[in-house]
Amino acid sequence: GANGSGKTTLLNIVTGLETADAGIVRLDAIPLLNHSPRARAALGMARGFQHPEIPSGIDVLAAVSVAAGPAAGMAALQRVGLGERAREPATSLGPAARRRLDIARALAAGPSVLLLDEPASGLSASERGDLAVLLRDLAAGGMAVVVVEHGMDFLLPIADRLVCLEAGRVLAAGVTDAVRQDPAVIA
């Protein structure tokens, strides 16, 4: 969906950062609307942000370890390819490494569902390709990966299912080819 279509709001509602006006949010069969963000995380949900805040004065490992401790933090850094940069200042990372750091923070908690808000924004073509490989690997390992993204060139090759939003409503949903060819989506 376009800017203002409700994509980030949807992620905020699913993760409990905003309150839904109506509807149902479930993880498996568990209704989540009465659960706090912390409780949702404990049930296996983790979130990455469009503009991740990186605290100053700490190293990369400390930025990730806040979520689940140093061992889980280091494992998450290794998983996203930042293990060798664990002792560097977190604020010294470039845009692609900051995105991976944000994903590592989410992964440190051991989620079964990972929600990412425009993770490819601002990345070069090769960085986007590397990110796509990481996200496909996470999904292949059994994790549900939900990606909000404008860049269809990034999204289409990695998505099994698309949901297109317009003005807070689902315009089309289904397998990628069907949604991409939907007349309302094209319009």
Side-chain angles (χ1 to χ4, degrees):
N3 287 335
S5 65
K7 301 177 305 295
T8 298
T9 300
L10 176 64
L11 291 186
N12 288 343
I13 289 170
V14 168
T15 57
L17 298 178
E18 291 187 40
T19 303
D21 294 331
I24 299 169
V25 176
R26 286 189 206 134
L27 181 58
D28 293 322
I30 302 168
L32 297 179
L33 289 180
N34 292 326
H35 288 71
S36 68
R38 183 179 299 266
R40 294 175 198 208
L43 290 169
M45 189 177 293
R47 164 86 187 269
F49 292 87
Q50 184 176 357
H51 303 290
E53 293 186 23
I54 308 295
S56 60
I58 62 172
D59 64 26
V60 170
L61 179 59
V64 175
S65 298
V66 170
M74 191 61 183
L77 288 174
Q78 294 289 2
R79 195 165 189 191
V80 302
L82 289 177
E84 292 181 5
R85 301 186 72 180
R87 295 298 174 196
E88 293 180 24
T91 54
S92 72
L93 299 177
R98 282 178 181 242
R99 292 287 181 189
R100 287 179 177 267
L101 175 62
D102 189 48
I103 293 169
R105 288 192 295 191
L107 294 177
S112 57
V113 178
L114 175 64
L115 299 111
L116 300 174
D117 195 357
E118 297 193 35
S121 177
L123 302 183
S124 70
S126 67
E127 291 166 341
R128 291 163 63 96
D130 292 343
L131 178 61
V133 169
L134 172 62
L135 298 181
R136 279 194 299 267
D137 287 349
L138 293 172
M143 185 178 298
V145 180
V146 177
V147 179
V148 164
E149 186 61 56
H150 286 283
M152 297 309 285
D153 61 324
F154 173 76
L155 195 55
L156 288 174
I158 65 169
D160 295 325
R161 179 175 164 79
L162 289 177
V163 177
C164 183
L165 298 179
E166 183 176 318
R169 302 201 183 286
V170 174
L171 185 62
V175 295
T176 55
D177 285 339
V179 172
R180 189 174 69 175
Q181 296 171 9
D182 185 292
V185 172
I186 293 169

